[in-house]
Amino acid sequence: MTLFTPDLGPGERSEPGPGAILIPSWLNLEQQEWVVGQFRCWTQGPVPIRAAKVRGHEMSVRTVCLGWHWQPYKYTREATDVNGARVLPFPDWMVRLGRRALRDAGYPEDQVNAYTPDTALVNYYDASARLGMHQDKDERSLAPVVSLSVGDDCTFRFGNTEHRGKPYTDLRLRSGDLFIFGGASRLAYHGVTRVHPCTAADGCGLDTGRINITMRTTGLTD
Ligand code: SIN
Ligand code: MN
């Protein structure tokens, strides 16, 4: 144990697949805590956080949406599978954050400036929640998906674009990490095989569980 540790800025970037970029500790603790505060507001409604039903079965992950409401396999402005209320607007700060994510990941400036996500799926995982292997393909746009994690670590399975099976890579996503699915990895299968309880960074604002935000571009207009 050393007395002085280096200032923990963003970690080493890695590319687990072509166009898939992981930047550890991209959000600092203060930013993580602020995001958790926003999450608490979003869950108050008008559309409460809920477990979506896939073919009649409730997911173990609970989701609240911004901009457009996601339900298997479509986006609507009103949460027709919950209470019919219109979802909260997509916040401007999240567009700016999405652009900053692409810039830090090395995207060219024209693509950074053009990036205008219009929906976010905000997932909450308790210790037993899982997310099966799937593709994010309910969007009409193939703009990159920007994913941010806060709270407990998870094992994130990043697979291939053909099917749910091998080859895949199991990654640890930690509080503050940024992951981008773009380019040839935009339609890669992925899932969360487990959450690791009691691993959340001290001061991230979440005592238990994991929040993940994926911002996306639906390609839809009203
Ligand atoms: C998702 O696939 O929509 C969420 C991924 C994650 O929780 O890291
Ligand atoms: Mn997904």
Side-chain angles (χ1 to χ4, degrees):
M1 176 87 171
T2 54
L3 183 56
F4 297 105
T5 52
D7 204 11
L8 283 178
E12 273 299 287
R13 152 203 165 113
S14 61
E15 213 166 309
I21 299 159
L22 169 62
I23 305 184
S25 305
W26 188 68
L27 293 176
N28 65 30
L29 282 178
E30 192 185 351
Q31 293 165 331
Q32 292 169 39
E33 193 180 22
W34 188 81
V35 166
V36 173
Q38 296 299 304
F39 168 75
R40 294 208 167 100
C41 297
W42 299 332
T43 61
Q44 301 306 302
V47 182
I49 192 165
R50 62 79 165 94
K53 278 190 181 160
V54 181
R55 289 181 290 274
H57 296 285
E58 273 193 358
M59 294 172 69
S60 56
V61 174
R62 290 186 293 143
T63 310
V64 61
C65 303
L66 305 172
W68 290 87
H69 177 77
W70 175 81
Q71 54 183 292
Y73 309 96
K74 62 178 179 184
Y75 286 100
T76 49
R77 286 293 194 193
E78 281 87 30
T80 51
D81 60 337
V82 186
N83 61 0
R86 191 177 169 105
V87 291
L88 289 166
F90 191 84
D92 288 344
W93 65 262
M94 207 179 274
V95 177
R96 293 194 294 273
L97 195 62
R99 288 181 184 167
R100 197 189 300 172
L102 295 199
R103 184 174 294 118
D104 288 358
Y107 275 72
E109 205 53 25
D110 58 326
Q111 288 183 43
V112 168
N113 293 327
Y115 188 58
T116 311
D118 61 348
T119 188
L121 275 62
V122 185
N123 287 337
Y124 178 76
Y125 298 74
D126 66 18
S128 60
R130 310 268 182 276
L131 187 62
M133 293 293 274
H134 66 280
Q135 294 168 294
D136 291 350
K137 60 173 187 185
D138 294 333
E139 302 77 28
R140 290 190 189 161
S141 159
L142 289 179
V145 172
V146 168
S147 150
L148 297 170
S149 298
V150 178
D152 283 333
D153 297 0
C154 78
T155 301
F156 178 77
R157 182 160 289 175
F158 176 71
N160 62 80
T161 53
E162 302 301 315
H163 49 71
R164 292 180 169 76
K166 290 181 178 171
Y168 48 67
T169 310
D170 283 345
L171 304 164
R172 187 101 169 184
L173 288 187
R174 298 184 169 85
S175 201
D177 288 2
L178 163 67
F179 190 85
I180 297 179
F181 307 76
S185 289
R186 172 61 183 79
L187 292 177
Y189 281 87
H190 58 278
V192 172
T193 60
R194 64 167 298 204
V195 172
H196 301 271
C198 307
T199 52
D202 272 348
C204 74
L206 200 62
D207 292 334
T208 168
R210 168 176 186 263
I211 295 171
N212 174 264
I213 300 176
T214 46
M215 39 184 117
R216 306 148 184 235
T217 309
T218 62
L220 299 170
T221 49
D222 285 310

